[in-house]
Amino acid sequence: DHKRISAPEPTNQEMAELFAGKTLHKLEGGAFKAVDPSKLKDKVVALYFSAHWCPPCRGFTPILKDFYEAVNEKGEELEIIFVSSDRSEDDCKAYMKEAHGDWLTLSFGDRATKEELAKKYGVSGIPMLVVIKADGSVVTANGRADVQGGPQNFKNWKK
């Protein structure tokens, strides 16, 4: 079982600051388009550490996609940022096109930020879904269990 870590209410600016100077992208028509990190304002954010070459990741990604779509269809504000461990940008694009929801990704070439986030959030294996508050503090490091339990668990991430 995982425990929830509570933190004081963050300011809406802090999430943008966590990704300040970083490039986030959305895959549109087979090409990456830059997205302003201020898009994260007022949203629950989950960092999805995954890769196409990883069979458990390929099993979990469609479940996460369904969860993401169900939550956002209800008018909730969930954003997922894919942090790729793929071997190449082409592999990353193919994985996103094949299986992912309409979510963001960290710039594939920004390996330093990937490593920084993995270290900050204690990522030792994939797939791993870390749900964070606007200030970067952890809501849960085991978002995968909540997702597998169904979209009704999203309410736990808003506390």
Side-chain angles (χ1 to χ4, degrees), residues 43-98:
K43 294 189 176 187
V44 172
V45 173
L47 301 175
Y48 183 39
F49 296 86
S50 179
H52 186 263
W53 54 260
C54 162
C57 298
R58 288 198 314 271
F60 177 68
T61 299
I63 298 166
L64 180 59
K65 178 182 179 187
D66 289 347
F67 181 94
Y68 174 82
E69 290 171 354
V71 164
N72 283 306
E73 281 171 9
K74 290 181 177 153
E76 298 287 1
E77 295 284 331
L78 171 62
E79 191 57 67
I80 294 172
I81 301 173
F82 174 48
V83 184
S84 176
S85 289
D86 285 301
R87 295 185 175 110
S88 71
E89 187 169 332
D90 286 343
D91 287 351
C92 175
K93 277 184 186 176
Y95 185 31
M96 291 187 73
K97 191 173 181 181
E98 169 190 312

Side-chain angles (χ1 to χ4, degrees), residues 1-65:
D1 225 15
H2 57 282
K3 64 180 182 179
R4 303 199 182 280
I5 301 167
S6 57
E9 280 303 307
T11 65
N12 290 330
Q13 190 59 34
E14 289 174 318
M15 181 60 76
E17 288 171 9
L18 182 64
F19 290 97
K22 311 295 183 213
T23 305
L24 297 176
H25 291 104
K26 191 167 276 247
L27 189 62
E28 294 177 8
F32 286 122
K33 306 282 187 209
V35 175
D36 186 336
S38 67
K39 176 182 178 5
L40 303 173
K41 183 181 174 190
D42 297 327
K43 294 189 176 187
V44 172
V45 173
L47 301 175
Y48 183 39
F49 296 86
S50 179
H52 186 263
W53 54 260
C54 162
C57 298
R58 288 198 314 271
F60 177 68
T61 299
I63 298 166
L64 180 59
K65 178 182 179 187

